């Protein structure tokens, strides 16, 4: 039986999650259908544009993404602190970029007078919006629903386009985050859709490489900020140069027609994470086969599972209290 998303996500343990959405009914998200010969390549732009748009609206950062022929991968980081730092007007403004809101929130956004009897409803809406804008389920809903509507309209059909629920996987430490990001970024190479990271269209790695050529990092993606230090800015605790080198080295080895070896920079990163190079290659080629659930060391997994069990029991207790009072 499917479990509520709230019992699978524990922000107190990690803000990082790997999310996967797959199409159903043999539908094609992008690419070329080898049976009909019809091309769906233009849908890649739909998906990528929507991902990057939502990253600017939600208090959720995109660390990595890739759009494949019938599914997509995301590595997301929930930023509760950002959501809580927004003013009430900022929360409403962000929400109105996605939905119309209510008459009261529309009045509030326009600076019009909110009557005293409307204040309670306004505060409730703002609290609800603030919570949803840092919720992975709402992020994925706002990503998948518009794409499904567009695809169904184009295919002249109705019904589900995506599987009933997206899959989410907690990444409990920096080794898990880095391995999952590399796995996501190397999807097109493993699938032989591209030969190098820089030619992997509509992926986060291509976007990072393009920005790096100009000495920058893409503003739409969670940045690399280097090693941990005082007054640490928000981002991934690696060097962008080292990560790009690591993905390039790994991609060369993953390709069946080309052998390669790890650079010293890549070996240094793997040593820091206590990952042997041979294990790293297996992780970045079989990540979702090896790990069906949360990823992390034994201690982190134990704590994470204890927290989820406590949330599950609390949810059951709340349900019983509600039934008793009904």
């Amino acid at each position: 039986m499917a479990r509520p998303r709230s019992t699978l996500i524990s922000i107190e343990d990690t803000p990082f999650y790997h999310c996967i959405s797959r199409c159903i009914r043999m539908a094609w998200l992008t690419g070329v259908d080898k049976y009909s010969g019809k091309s769906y390549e233009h849908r890649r732009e739909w998906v990528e544009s929507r991902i990057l748009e939502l990253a600017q609206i939600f208090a959720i950062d995109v660390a990595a993404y890739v759009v494949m022929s019938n599914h997509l991968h995301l590595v997301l980081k929930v930023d509760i602190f950002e959501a809580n730092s927004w003013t009430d007007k900022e929360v409403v403004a962000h929400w109105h970029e996605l939905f119309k809101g209510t008459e009261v929130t529309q009045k509030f956004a326009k600076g019009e007078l909110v009557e005293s009897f409307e204040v309670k409803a306004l505060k409730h809406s703002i609290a609800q919006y603030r919570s949803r804008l840092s919720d992975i389920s709402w992020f994925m809903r706002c990503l998948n629903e518009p794409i499904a509507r567009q695809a169904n309209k184009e295919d002249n059909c109705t019904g589900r386009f995506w599987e009933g629920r997206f899959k989410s996987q907690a990444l409990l430490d920096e080794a898990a985050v880095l391995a999952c990001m590399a796995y996501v970024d190397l999807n097109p190479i493993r699938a032989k859709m591209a030969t190098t990271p820089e030619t992997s269209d509509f992926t986060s790695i291509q976007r990072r490489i393009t920005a790096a050529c100009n000495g920058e990092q893409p503003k739409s993606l969670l940045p690399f900020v280097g090693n941990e230090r005082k007054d640490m800015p928000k981002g991934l605790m690696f060097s962008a140069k080292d990560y790009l080198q690591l993905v390039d080295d790994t991609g060369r080895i993953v390709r069946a027609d080309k052998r390669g070896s790890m650079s010293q920079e890549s070996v240094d990163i793997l040593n820091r994470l206590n990952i042997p190079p041979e294990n790293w290659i297996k992780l970045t080629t079989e990540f979702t086969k090896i790990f069906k659930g949360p990823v992390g060391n034994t201690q982190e997994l134990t704590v994470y599972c204890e927290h989820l069990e406590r949330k599950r029991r609390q949810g059951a207790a709340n349900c019983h209290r509600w039934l008793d009072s009904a």
Side-chain angles (χ1 to χ4, degrees), residues 108-293:
F108 179 70
K110 295 174 183 176
E112 297 176 1
L113 177 65
V114 176
E115 302 292 345
S116 57
F117 67 88
E118 297 175 313
V119 171
K120 184 177 179 180
L122 175 62
K123 289 183 176 180
H124 173 76
S125 294
I126 291 173
Q128 187 178 62
Y129 298 166
R130 192 186 300 274
S131 174
R132 289 177 177 178
L133 287 166
S134 58
D135 187 312
I136 286 177
S137 291
W138 274 90
F139 184 100
M140 296 302 292
R141 173 182 175 176
C142 292
L143 169 62
N144 288 346
E145 286 188 0
I147 301 301
R149 286 195 296 269
Q150 284 181 275
N152 281 351
K153 182 177 180 180
E154 185 177 65
D155 294 339
N156 193 28
C157 67
T158 59
R160 289 185 181 274
F161 181 76
W162 302 98
E163 285 183 346
R165 301 176 72 194
F166 69 93
K167 295 180 180 179
S168 63
Q169 186 176 40
L171 306 173
L172 301 175
D173 55 34
E174 61 179 1
V177 172
L178 197 70
C180 189
M181 286 180 61
Y183 169 79
V184 169
D185 280 330
L186 289 170
N187 256 265
I189 292 178
R190 288 196 308 276
K192 302 189 186 306
M193 294 171 62
T195 55
T196 60
E198 61 268 26
T199 60
S200 301
D201 293 334
F202 302 101
T203 61
S204 55
I205 191 66
Q206 185 186 61
R207 185 166 290 271
R208 289 191 187 278
I209 291 172
T210 300
C213 290
N214 296 320
E216 302 172 346
Q217 294 197 58
K219 294 182 176 61
S220 52
L221 298 177
L222 185 65
F224 289 93
V225 294
N227 296 328
E228 189 171 3
R229 57 191 181 275
K230 187 178 179 180
D231 299 324
M232 188 75 180
K234 182 177 77 170
L236 297 155
M237 289 188 290
F238 303 95
S239 153
K241 178 182 177 182
D242 287 349
Y243 177 74
L244 296 180
Q245 181 68 58
L246 177 61
V247 172
D248 186 63
D249 289 348
T250 308
R252 292 173 185 273
I253 297 173
V254 167
R255 284 179 53 193
D257 62 335
K258 187 171 184 179
R259 300 194 175 201
S261 60
M262 290 286 184
S263 65
Q264 188 57 50
E265 292 85 352
S266 295
V267 172
D268 289 343
I269 293 179
L270 297 182
N271 287 338
R272 168 186 160 185
L273 299 172
N274 296 315
I275 302 176
E278 59 273 17
N279 288 1
W280 172 257
I281 299 303
K282 188 173 183 179
L283 286 173
T284 53
T285 53
E286 302 179 34
F287 193 89
T288 54
K289 292 181 181 179
I290 298 172
F291 304 110
K292 299 300 183 182

Side-chain angles (χ1 to χ4, degrees), residues 18-89:
H18 173 211
C19 300
I20 307 170
S21 279
R22 297 183 182 277
C23 299
I24 61 173
R25 68 164 191 264
M26 296 296 289
W28 282 75
L29 173 60
T30 64
V32 179
D33 185 340
K34 63 182 179 181
Y35 298 105
S36 67
K38 185 175 180 179
S39 174
Y40 298 91
E41 282 296 295
H42 58 283
R43 293 181 180 175
R44 288 180 181 272
E45 189 171 355
W46 295 357
V47 179
E48 183 179 51
S49 297
R50 187 63 175 173
I51 289 171
L52 301 178
E53 178 186 4
L54 294 177
Q56 304 304 310
I57 298 173
F58 278 79
I60 295 177
D61 296 297
V62 177
Y65 69 85
V66 63
V67 183
M68 300 298 285
S69 61
N70 60 1
H71 68 284
L72 62 89
H73 291 265
L74 291 163
V75 177
L76 303 175
K77 178 179 182 289
V78 179
D79 193 342
I80 293 293
F81 299 105
E82 181 182 15
N84 290 337
S85 72
W86 288 338
T87 65
D88 289 350
K89 283 197 172 182

